[in-house]
Amino acid sequence: MTTAPYNYSYIFKYIIIGDMGVGKSCLLHQFTEKKFMADCPHTIGVEFGTRIMEVSGQKVKLQIWDTAGQERFRAVTRSYYRGAAGALMVYDITRRSTYNHLSSWLTDARNLTNPNTVIILIGNKADLEAQRDVTYEEAKQFAEENGLLFLEASAKTGENVEDAFLEAAKKIYQNIQDGSLDLNAAESGVQHKPSAPQGGRLGNDAPSQKEGCSC
Amino acid sequence: MPTWRSERLTECQSVAHTMSQTNAGVDASTDSILLGDMSFPHDKSSSEQDIPSCKDDLSPPICPNPSLSGEECQESSNCLDVCSLASVQQYPQNDQSGTEARSQVTECGESVNLEPEGPEEPEQLIDRTDKSWGGWSLWGKSLLTSATSTVGQSLSSVREKAGVALRIQQSSLCDEAEGTCAEGSGAEEYTPLSTTASQPSRGVLSTITSAVQNTGKSVISGGLDALEFIGKKTMTVLAESDPGFKKTKTLMQKTVSLSQVLKEAKERERERLSSQLISEPTAHYSILFDDYQGLSHLEALEILSNESEAKVQIVLSSLAEEELDKLKNELITLKEIFIRGEEEEGSTIEENGDHSSEVYSATQFSNGEEFVSVLTELLFDLHVAATPDKLNKAWVKAHEWVKEVEQPVPTDAAQEDTEEETGVKPSPMAESEKKQESDQGEEKNQEKRNIKEGGSDCVEYVYLSSVESLAEVTARSIEQLHKVAELILHGQDLEKAANLQASILVRLTFAMCKEVDCLARKFSDTLLSVGFQRKAEELNPLVDSVMLEGSNSNTYIQNAFQLLLPVLQISHIQTSRAKGHAHPHLVSTD
């Protein structure tokens, strides 16, 4: 009776980017394991996480590429942006420098993904209110100016972590629904798989990709 | 690959081995043979094992493949006739690519990128790659076709032998092709420029995939006799047209993005699973491999490899003749180390004479702990800060459960204990991984418990654990190679000469492959010992299946290893450029 883990209709590729130590891996860990990882080692290159969640009534598998924040890996991690449907751009609300570097991360995200990639700005460590160094308002404004979704979250308490991934997924799904995200396009970052195909004629359910059949 | 393991092929192995050869040799003529309503408890796993044999047919990567080797191409014109004859019916467009291939044949030198003609424009390179891909798929088809004509006959006798009613299903080909195209979207991600040219290859993919799956089913259903028979036939046919299986090997290795093939296999498996309830123990290698993030790491490694290859091209095309020759020689030296490592199956590694060759010889022992120390030392020798934590853990886990099963009276409690024990090795590095796994593992543990409760013997448990361990160990090995690639590329100065790193990587890969082999044999021995009361018809397919997964695992690891070549090449170029074109490091030491 274990059908659940294999039953999803879409795969979205996500990337998580941002300065070293802002808590990217912890956010991912909280999201996939619902636990806080206290002493998280530096990520080498990229690590992966997956979780299936329900988005607007559809089962979606999120395939998350958690990139290294260290500058020395920047050249390597840039290679991984391609084909992301969603990007989580993370800064640390208690360290202003991580916020100041956002424009550089945003430039990379814009240049290396496609125009439809949904970018959500996440101010992590929201539990450390006493040490806050970046106000909610200014970050909100930055997000609005750049057309980003925005949330403050805490990988430690789990606050808004689920929502961060979900909001981006909803936006991506909405883009699919209203046609602005073309599933046929190269690097859309989305794979559509009709779950439990009856009779197995994939081409009929999938709205796409009939061209190029060699039959 | 054949030569890698050949010396130690046991009876079981040779069956599994020949089976994979069979699958490589099956083509359009057999793919339409579908098994009727005959079902077999484990036929699924056998069909999914066939993945590596069809990895020659997905869309090409965007940049030229580093190592199409010339000798393989030379015979392709001989095969063209057979091929076009065979493919006219179902693949009319192959004729077109056939002519393309004909004109491309001469262009396949020792290496696409290191051609003596000198630098080319990037556009031309991409264009040419597309064409030669068409040629490759065609060539691949031709080799497979010649094998098929014989295997096809064998199959028909198998049909009679087994008394199975088979029906010919022409339409299945079309369905498969549609399915593949839909799934091909992933491939498109990285090959936006090659859509038109790659279509023939994709056609071949679906053909081979379905052929392989269906054949897998028939073969298993037909029993071991049939399997052996087909295997021998296929080996003979392949050997006739391809002495030493060199081409088959290359064909299987070089011509496709492995992660795409595996992804496709996994998705098929998932779809199948999601449309049916699991009522009996089945092992899903491809899904488990993905659960352990093997696919993701492989995909990421492919990205790095392709980008490195593109960068190498750019550098080569910017050099003047003299410099170009020099650099080309250096890059070829690197490549030779990789090829030699593959061909010599590591048996003469001592020639390098440094202390890691002693380390290397320690891998003869199939013992988790010893492997762990070998691994650690080799990685240390690489001078990249890669730690083999996860891989070690997978290895230890694999050995632990075998040990546990071999204990005289395996009780539920003992099993729980061992799982607990291996599960909570307190390594901070592995912590997150562990937790990730535990969720995935929970369901399987449940399954295992059910088996334990349901039946007193644990053949199924051993089988499931074997496949899972192989999937995990393979995924971790590939992750390890991916990490090495990332660390080599991470922008710091190369601390160790690229050719030395290459030699160490050869050893590392060989050690991994050898251990996978040992594990697979250990697992099948365990299966045989736990299942001694079972009928051979029940037990043998499981044993074969484990050996086959072991052999496939080996292939995946070696594929991942080959992806490291461009990474080392660009790393070497960057280092030597930083040192003012001195290239001091690339002096061959052996």
Side-chain angles (χ1 to χ4, degrees):
Chain A
M1 299 285 284
T2 53
T3 60
Y6 310 113
N7 203 357
Y8 49 84
S9 316
Y10 292 88
I11 304 175
F12 294 171
K13 173 179 171 178
Y14 275 27
I15 50 169
I16 310 182
I17 55 174
D19 273 11
M20 182 171 78
V22 297
K24 297 182 292 299
S25 299
C26 291
L27 282 169
L28 174 61
H29 194 74
Q30 178 64 252
F31 177 64
T32 55
E33 308 299 320
K34 301 193 168 65
K35 281 174 202 151
F36 178 59
M37 187 166 39
D39 49 350
C40 176
H42 291 312
T43 304
I44 294 171
V46 68
E47 286 298 336
F48 301 96
T50 48
R51 191 178 137 185
I52 295 167
M53 70 189 315
E54 192 162 314
V55 180
S56 312
Q58 294 282 335
K59 285 262 196 294
V60 175
K61 177 176 176 176
L62 300 184
Q63 194 208 24
I64 304 145
W65 296 48
D66 168 32
T67 65
Q70 284 171 285
E71 186 59 36
R72 65 191 187 119
F73 282 113
R74 199 78 180 259
V76 171
T77 53
R78 280 197 182 103
S79 308
Y80 300 137
Y81 285 52
R82 203 161 154 187
L88 276 68
M89 192 166 71
V90 187
Y91 70 96
D92 176 353
I93 67 157
T94 70
R95 275 195 297 150
R96 180 130 214 122
S97 62
T98 65
Y99 176 79
N100 293 338
H101 292 156
L102 285 178
S103 57
S104 149
W105 289 109
L106 186 59
T107 308
D108 272 4
R110 294 262 194 249
N111 289 342
L112 300 167
T113 63
N114 68 69
N116 282 305
T117 300
V118 172
I119 304 175
I120 180 166
L121 178 65
I122 296 171
N124 192 27
K125 311 196 186 176
D127 54 297
L128 301 175
E129 188 58 44
Q131 297 158 50
R132 179 184 283 275
D133 203 13
V134 181
T135 66
Y136 180 89
E137 288 70 26
E138 61 181 316
K140 178 80 187 159
Q141 193 188 340
F142 176 82
E144 275 167 8
E145 282 166 6
N146 291 284
L148 314 173
L149 301 171
F150 173 60
L151 276 178
E152 283 192 348
S154 167
K156 190 170 185 179
T157 66
E159 177 200 350
N160 272 345
V161 172
E162 185 104 356
D163 281 348
F165 288 86
L166 185 60
E167 288 305 313
K170 277 186 190 161
K171 179 75 179 153
I172 294 165
Y173 188 66
Q174 189 189 323
N175 286 347
I176 297 170
Q177 293 305 103
D178 67 22
S180 57
L181 180 63
D182 181 8
L183 292 185
N184 292 326
E187 299 170 26
S188 69
V190 175
Q191 292 170 58
H192 180 47
K193 308 276 180 191
S195 53
Q198 312 295 328
R201 204 136 307 186
L202 252 182
N204 292 349
D205 309 271
S208 59
Q209 287 145 347
K210 280 201 158 178
E211 88 294 345
C213 285
S214 41
C215 51
Chain B
M1 302 322 305
T3 51
W4 202 278
R5 295 183 313 272
S6 53
E7 61 180 292
R8 291 180 295 108
L9 282 178
T10 64
E11 216 172 51
C12 293
Q13 277 175 310
S14 68
V15 171
H17 180 66
T18 51
M19 186 169 163
S20 75
Q21 291 295 345
T22 308
N23 295 327
V26 174
D27 197 49
S29 59
T30 47
D31 95 302
S32 48
I33 299 170
L34 257 191
L35 206 55
D37 290 323
M38 186 154 178
S39 64
F40 188 85
H42 301 284
D43 59 357
K44 167 240 102 249
S45 56
S46 59
S47 61
E48 113 195 357
Q49 288 145 5
D50 305 323
I51 302 156
S53 19
C54 54
K55 65 173 84 104
D56 47 303
D57 31 32
L58 266 177
S59 322
I62 186 163
C63 35
N65 201 302
S67 34
L68 303 174
S69 65
E71 46 199 327
E72 276 85 1
C73 294
Q74 280 161 13
E75 275 188 39
S76 65
S77 52
N78 304 340
C79 306
L80 282 174
D81 300 345
V82 189
C83 180
S84 45
L85 270 179
S87 50
V88 160
Q89 263 187 319
Q90 283 160 326
Y91 293 101
Q93 73 273 42
N94 274 353
D95 288 337
Q96 192 186 342
S97 66
T99 50
E100 267 178 1
R102 219 179 272 271
S103 62
Q104 291 303 316
V105 165
T106 50
E107 289 193 43
C108 298
E110 163 63 14
S111 158
V112 172
N113 28 339
L114 303 175
E115 286 276 48
E117 301 100 79
E120 295 179 60
E121 296 300 311
E123 287 87 349
Q124 285 176 339
L125 284 168
I126 287 161
D127 189 38
R128 200 182 71 178
T129 314
D130 283 349
K131 285 185 191 165
S132 59
W133 271 92
W136 271 91
S137 72
L138 188 67
W139 177 84
K141 231 172 130 48
S142 69
L143 177 62
L144 296 177
T145 308
S146 61
T148 305
S149 50
T150 314
V151 174
Q153 290 160 11
S154 318
L155 268 183
S156 39
S157 59
V158 170
R159 267 182 299 181
E160 288 156 21
K161 234 181 186 171
V164 179
L166 295 159
R167 64 194 153 89
I168 309 299
Q169 215 183 38
Q170 293 293 350
S171 63
S172 69
L173 183 66
C174 246
D175 291 352
E176 285 297 334
E178 271 183 31
T180 313
C181 292
E183 286 169 335
S185 60
E188 297 293 339
E189 265 176 48
Y190 303 107
T191 57
L193 296 171
S194 59
T195 39
T196 330
S198 64
Q199 276 165 22
S201 341
R202 242 185 289 152
V204 181
L205 165 69
S206 41
T207 311
I208 295 181
T209 311
S210 65
V212 148
Q213 285 184 342
N214 295 326
T215 313
K217 286 177 194 168
S218 328
V219 162
I220 286 290
S221 321
L224 272 181
D225 291 352
L227 203 152
E228 247 164 3
F229 176 59
I230 294 176
K232 276 176 195 152
K233 271 284 191 208
T234 314
M235 293 288 269
T236 315
V237 175
L238 286 176
E240 274 165 15
S241 57
D242 183 11
F245 301 106
K246 257 193 152 180
K247 275 176 281 185
T248 313
K249 204 164 100 176
T250 313
L251 177 72
M252 285 166 66
Q253 281 207 338
K254 313 286 188 194
T255 45
V256 81
S257 152
L258 177 57
S259 69
Q260 287 304 328
V261 175
L262 293 178
K263 207 180 267 179
E264 172 173 320
K266 186 210 67 181
E267 283 305 326
R268 268 178 215 282
E269 192 54 22
R270 182 186 70 79
E271 276 164 22
R272 204 186 60 79
L273 282 178
S274 62
S275 60
Q276 73 176 49
L277 300 179
I278 299 168
S279 53
E280 57 199 14
T282 42
H284 318 286
Y285 182 93
S286 56
I287 287 180
L288 290 166
F289 181 71
D290 186 44
D291 283 348
Y292 286 110
Q293 304 293 1
L295 263 184
S296 301
H297 281 289
L298 188 58
E299 189 185 336
L301 178 55
E302 279 167 1
I303 292 173
L304 294 181
S305 183
N306 289 345
E307 293 196 350
S308 300
E309 176 62 27
K311 283 181 196 161
V312 170
Q313 290 291 339
I314 290 169
V315 171
L316 286 177
S317 64
S318 71
L319 290 180
E321 203 167 310
E322 202 174 307
E323 271 184 312
L324 182 69
D325 282 348
K326 193 178 171 197
L327 184 57
K328 250 170 33 182
N329 284 335
E330 292 168 350
L331 297 187
I332 288 168
T333 307
L334 273 180
K335 187 180 165 185
E336 279 169 356
I337 296 172
F338 268 63
I339 292 171
R340 203 179 52 212
E342 189 183 47
E343 285 176 354
E344 289 183 2
E345 56 189 277
S347 57
T348 52
I349 287 241
E350 307 91 74
E351 72 189 56
N352 270 330
D354 62 339
H355 80 105
S356 35
S357 54
E358 291 162 37
V359 171
Y360 163 80
S361 62
T363 61
Q364 305 294 341
F365 303 96
S366 170
N367 176 308
E369 278 169 41
E370 282 167 61
F371 173 75
V372 164
S373 65
V374 170
L375 204 60
T376 311
E377 269 197 66
L378 285 174
L379 284 170
F380 179 77
D381 272 355
L382 267 180
H383 283 230
V384 295
T387 51
D389 291 6
K390 289 186 193 172
L391 180 52
N392 286 353
K393 207 155 51 66
W395 237 281
V396 170
K397 197 168 134 193
H399 284 280
E400 291 282 335
W401 77 252
V402 172
K403 214 186 283 173
E404 163 225 319
V405 167
E406 282 170 349
Q407 278 163 6
V409 189
T411 64
D412 273 13
Q415 181 191 334
E416 295 298 294
D417 282 354
T418 318
E419 273 169 16
E420 201 64 20
E421 198 182 298
T422 51
V424 196
K425 283 258 158 68
S427 150
M429 183 78 176
E431 191 111 329
S432 66
E433 242 346 276
K434 191 68 252 157
K435 283 169 194 157
Q436 267 187 9
E437 280 160 30
S438 65
D439 252 17
Q440 296 159 350
E442 228 145 78
E443 214 156 72
K444 272 170 278 181
N445 287 343
Q446 188 57 45
E447 220 169 89
K448 284 173 196 166
R449 273 191 287 275
N450 290 345
I451 293 161
K452 284 273 181 179
E453 284 155 18
S456 59
D457 73 11
C458 52
V459 169
E460 278 77 14
Y461 170 73
V462 171
Y463 173 65
L464 290 174
S465 305
S466 302
V467 174
E468 175 169 4
S469 280
L470 287 172
E472 180 178 5
V473 160
T474 308
R476 295 294 180 232
S477 298
I478 287 168
E479 173 174 357
Q480 193 69 63
L481 293 173
H482 174 216
K483 288 294 148 202
V484 167
E486 288 180 326
L487 287 163
I488 288 174
L489 284 176
H490 81 355
Q492 288 187 351
D493 272 355
L494 194 59
E495 291 181 48
K496 190 129 186 166
N499 64 338
L500 289 180
Q501 286 194 320
S503 311
I504 295 167
L505 282 172
V506 167
R507 272 174 235 144
L508 185 69
T509 306
F510 181 68
M512 287 172 176
C513 288
K514 195 149 192 172
E515 278 298 320
V516 166
D517 251 4
C518 289
L519 276 182
R521 270 186 297 134
K522 194 166 182 171
F523 293 159
S524 42
D525 288 350
T526 310
L527 257 182
L528 286 169
S529 71
V530 231
F532 67 97
Q533 286 169 320
R534 294 283 191 101
K535 284 182 197 156
E537 304 95 272
E538 275 179 74
L539 199 56
N540 285 342
L542 298 183
V543 173
D544 291 346
S545 165
V546 167
M547 292 312 297
L548 197 48
E549 294 297 9
S551 144
N552 289 343
S553 296
N554 252 327
T555 312
Y556 303 154
I557 294 171
Q558 286 173 60
N559 270 278
F561 162 69
Q562 290 297 328
L563 292 171
L564 287 167
L565 176 59
V567 172
L568 276 181
Q569 286 180 332
I570 193 66
S571 162
H572 167 69
I573 289 173
Q574 283 163 354
T575 311
S576 41
R577 295 206 139 188
K579 297 187 175 173
H581 302 273
H583 308 313
H585 279 310
L586 209 95
V587 180
S588 186
T589 53
D590 40 359

